[in-house]
Amino acid sequence: MGAITIEDLTVRFGDRKALASVNLQIKEGEFFVILGPSGAGKTTLLKTIAGLIPPSEGRVLFGDNDVTGMPPEKRNIAMTFEQYALYPNYSVMGNIAHPLRAPGSKLEKHKVLDRVNKISKMLRIDHLLDRLPRELSGGQKQRVALARAMVREPYAFLLDEPLSHVDAQIRQQMRVELNRLQVEVSNTSVYVTHDYQEALALGDRVAIINSGKIVQVGTGEEVYYHPRNEFVARLVGQPQINIIPARVFNREDKIYLDVLDGMMQIEPPAGIVRKICEQEIEEVNVGIRAQFITLEDGPGREGSVWLDGKVYIYEPFVTYGILTVNVKQHQLFILTAPDGDFEIDRPVRLGLEISELIYFNSITGDNLEGTGA
Amino acid sequence: MVSIKRGKNDILGDILLGLIFLFFMFPIYWVFTMAFKSDSDILIWPPKFIFSPTLAHFKAILFNQLSEQSVGATTTVNYLGYFKNSLIVSISAVLISLAVGIPAAYAFARYNFKGRENLFFNFLTFRFAPEMLVIIPIYLIYQRLGLYDTYTGLIWVYQLITLPMIIWILRGYFEDVSADLEDAGLLDGYSRLNIAARIVLPIVKPGIAATSLLTFIYAWNNFIFGMILGGTGVQPVTVAALQFISADKLRFGDMAAASILAALPIIILAVYTQKYLIRGLSLGAVKQ
């Protein structure tokens, strides 16, 4: 059990860089989530930690030991695979016991049984031990895969999208259990997912990866409220963050932002103004999350600015609603109460909470707030 | 209920398929009837479709009894001996090819080494090199090495038939096994060899069985290698039928009966394993 350090890790597949100079420090006992869209290099990163893919450059350290050249079977790493990778010719029992029966492990027979029984009770699959993998449902397969990983006492757990192929209902339940297990087992875990909710719910810290590069590392709150760039802002949150373009202009020696060609004017905070001046930025993308937009009757409240638009569609989700509004050619999402009644094309006034605005450089996409990664 | 209306084209297609079926099945049917016809019925014109069947030819070749129809034939043929030769040569050839081909197919499926596809294709070229072209040099070499008319010699040259097939088809089966399974095995603390034996081989076992049978059929059916490189000591059953052509008489009926007997094990095997064969073949075809 322990810390994992990844230094300048690059993995090339032919000419393509699957990972480009990745640096990460995963602390002992930490539940570390790697979040990114498909094809970002998440699984490659996990397999490189496991030793299944040799890095082209860089090092992997377990604690102080450089394990870069160590073969996977010697690393004592437990991993679950996206497609479960259960051995079809072994029963559930055989699958879970498999790592304990490896040539290196000299566990006595009855101890193997004890461990398998204990872990399968914990994951509530003890009644399935005699079955073959093909006789299991998706959720059950996932539990068996987890059990096979957890039956050992590995240096670290690597979990590759463990919940992506189980139905929504089971996913929620499994997430709760994973959280609970994490508290009980408190082992170093690296968890890969493309689902931001899983990432925020499970992760002590989250690393966001895009095209083989780490974009941001931080707690769930950090990546949600202080995304490093537009990519992170869009990846995290449902409905997606609203991003609207604005032009910088100068009036009486003060910097203002002109949103959507004169629809709205914003006076950005001093820190942002300084960045705009330093970098000589002419255009800014303004981001605001759906829950910080309110519907206004009259002129907006103190501390808010407003936009006028027309209802495009309203989607009631029983416990909440998502209103989509067209403002000029832009669509904004607004989180509303579930009982909304909005006619299509009805004009609405949207109030934007000015303190919740996030400002991005429109060219680089970087957050002008300048959060550290 | 939705019923799919069958158009005129479908019916025409059925008729065409029927004709093709008849075209290919007719020779088999004809040989089959010949085996049960008396010699006089075989040679009659116009051909007889209705005749009184006889088992004389089968008796003749199985028990060396010269039937009435065979009167005048002076050579006797130890047909069952050739049957044994076929079994020994074909089974040994397949077993040796499996021993070499399974690891080779695994390597082609899993390891990305330099020149992999070229080497792989090279194995296939053994199959489309005409046997006639190489048989004379091989004959001369075999004479020198003392491999002529030996089981070893035939089994060796049969590798040209069996090994490429086994490698080609099994590669598809191995590629079908998720690489994740092997990765999981490695992380569980097993060596690659151990994983191949404990996990991969049991999964592809049905594929290996099907491929072996198919390969066996090809080995069994081979004619030219046995004819040129084998003397009377090791010649397979396919060549044995030739012996019924003797200076004094063409024993068509005996030849037909011999052919039926030679084909019988293959037909039984093919029908029995048809499901696997199709899967095995299509696997090999779809994968590049």
Side-chain angles (χ1 to χ4, degrees), chain B residues 37-73:
Chain B
K37 279 179 183 172
S38 63
D39 277 357
S40 52
D41 281 345
I42 289 173
L43 296 169
I44 207 163
W45 186 263
K48 257 188 165 177
F49 285 89
I50 297 159
F51 56 91
S52 50
T54 164
L55 286 174
H57 301 303
F58 290 95
K59 278 185 194 146
I61 59 173
L62 287 178
F63 310 113
N64 269 329
Q65 295 172 351
L66 294 185
S67 59
E68 257 175 71
Q69 280 83 9
S70 305
V71 167

Side-chain angles (χ1 to χ4, degrees), chain B residues 132-154:
Chain B
M132 277 304 218
L133 218 61
V134 294
I135 197 80
I136 302 300
I138 292 179
Y139 173 78
L140 294 173
I141 294 167
Y142 269 34
Q143 289 277 17
R144 289 257 177 98
L145 292 178
L147 286 171
Y148 175 76
D149 198 17
T150 61
Y151 285 131
T152 317
L154 268 194

Side-chain angles (χ1 to χ4, degrees), chain A residues 23-27 30-37 42 45 189-210 213-228 231-233 235-237 372-373:
Chain A
N23 284 287
L24 283 177
Q25 302 230 322
I26 298 160
K27 295 173 204 152
E30 187 174 28
F31 199 105
F32 192 85
V33 176
I34 296 166
L35 174 67
K42 303 185 295 282
L45 180 54
S189 304
V190 185
Y191 184 104
V192 157
T193 181
H194 64 265
D195 180 337
Y196 88 95
Q197 287 184 325
E198 268 172 52
L200 300 194
L202 292 167
D204 294 330
R205 282 192 305 154
V206 179
I208 287 160
I209 186 169
N210 185 29
K213 294 193 182 98
I214 301 290
V215 184
Q216 186 173 4
V217 181
T219 62
E221 267 176 35
E222 278 166 7
V223 298
Y224 187 81
Y225 290 107
H226 306 284
R228 188 179 218 188
F231 173 81
V232 177
L235 189 68
V236 177

Side-chain angles (χ1 to χ4, degrees), chain B residues 2 47 53 61 75 77 172 177 202 261:
Chain B
V2 182
I61 59 173
T75 43
V77 178
V177 178
L261 284 180

Side-chain angles (χ1 to χ4, degrees), chain A residues 1 8 88 155 178 212 217 234 273 275 280:
Chain A
M1 254 173 261
D8 282 323
Y155 186 79
L178 276 170
V217 181
R234 284 183 200 274
V273 170
K275 280 275 171 62
E280 296 176 10

